[in-house]
Amino acid sequence: MTRLWAELVVIFVALPVAIFFFVNDLNTWLMPLLGLAGIVCLAVLLADKQFKRVRLWHTTDFLQHFKTTLRLFIPWACLMMAAVCLIRPDLFLSWPMHETGLWLTTLLIYPVISVIPQEIIFRTFFFHRYKPIMPSKLGRWAVSTFLFGLAHLVYGNWVAVILAWCGGGLFGYRYIQTRSTPVVIVEHAIWGCFIFTVGLGAWLMSAPAP
């Protein structure tokens, strides 16, 4: 039990805080580090005989869950678009309009290099690995959500942390509900691509936000 708590603190608290203090030096290494962490967590899961590997690929009732995702996404996305347009009109749709190539590239690679590792680490790995020390699903959901936001401190602003807390709460709930990594990856990718499109992606880059 003590070993698992120590592991959790090192991976999910100490490491993000260390990266936060060295973010300027590790600017180009953030995504490779995330990918490496995702691979390590996946390897640990696959080596664990108690882990149900089907959670990595099963898509039972995928269309039903996708409809639920859209029912939540559409109204909140519209509200966020209106907020960005009113509060930061200079950022609203700035990437699609002025950085089209960068925007399209981001939409293509972001789900692969960022979303998949994050969901393996913070949902699939976390919810299984730390069940012995946090038997309550609600407890794991709350801690995972908090740590997901904490990890976004590497971007050096509180907007990223708040967005991650909101997203982490939603994705954690969806994972508990579906026990499906692919379902959560799709939902995370939809929200992430929207955020980069609408203009909030300025706070989710390694460089200081405008």
Side-chain angles (χ1 to χ4, degrees):
M1 295 295 184
T2 302
R3 180 181 62 81
L4 282 178
W5 277 114
E7 176 188 286
L8 185 154
V9 170
V10 169
I11 296 175
F12 293 95
V13 179
L15 184 58
V17 170
I19 293 175
F20 170 73
F21 284 108
F22 294 101
V23 67
N24 290 330
D25 298 326
L26 297 177
N27 192 27
T28 59
W29 291 95
L30 289 178
M31 287 300 103
L33 283 172
L34 178 62
L36 178 60
I39 291 171
V40 171
C41 289
L42 180 60
V44 172
L45 286 173
L46 294 177
D48 187 343
K49 294 181 180 179
Q50 294 183 341
F51 174 65
K52 297 177 181 178
R53 297 186 180 187
V54 68
R55 290 176 181 170
L56 292 170
W57 60 74
H58 86 89
T59 53
T60 303
D61 298 324
F62 179 83
L63 289 179
Q64 179 181 341
H65 295 307
F66 185 68
K67 290 177 182 178
T68 302
T69 293
L70 291 182
R71 282 197 294 268
L72 180 68
F73 171 77
I74 292 172
W76 281 101
C78 291
L79 183 62
M80 290 175 68
M81 287 180 67
V84 175
C85 185
L86 290 172
I87 298 172
R88 291 297 302 266
D90 56 314
L91 295 178
F92 183 64
L93 299 180
S94 58
W95 274 23
M97 294 174 63
H98 306 296
E99 300 284 350
T100 307
L102 177 61
W103 172 64
L104 290 174
T105 301
T106 300
L107 297 191
L108 288 173
I109 67 173
Y110 165 74
V112 177
I113 68 171
S114 182
V115 173
I116 292 176
Q118 287 183 67
E119 290 309 318
I120 289 174
I121 296 167
F122 286 94
R123 255 61 68 177
T124 314
F125 175 83
F126 190 94
F127 276 82
H128 173 77
R129 180 74 170 175
Y130 302 113
K131 185 176 181 179
I133 58 176
M134 287 181 278
S136 168
K137 290 181 182 178
L138 180 60
R140 274 174 284 156
W141 171 82
V143 175
S144 172
T145 299
F146 173 77
L147 295 176
F148 187 64
L150 180 68
H152 284 70
L153 272 176
V154 298
Y155 294 115
N157 66 85
W158 283 101
V159 175
V161 175
I162 292 171
L163 288 173
W165 275 334
C166 294
L170 173 60
F171 308 144
Y173 167 77
R174 192 73 67 208
Y175 183 73
I176 291 174
Q177 185 183 50
T178 66
R179 290 300 186 184
S180 170
T181 305
V183 168
V184 184
I185 286 174
V186 169
E187 184 163 31
H188 189 161
I190 289 172
W191 277 106
C193 289
F194 166 75
I195 284 173
F196 283 111
T197 299
V198 78
L200 292 174
W203 282 275
L204 294 173
M205 303 297 290
S206 299

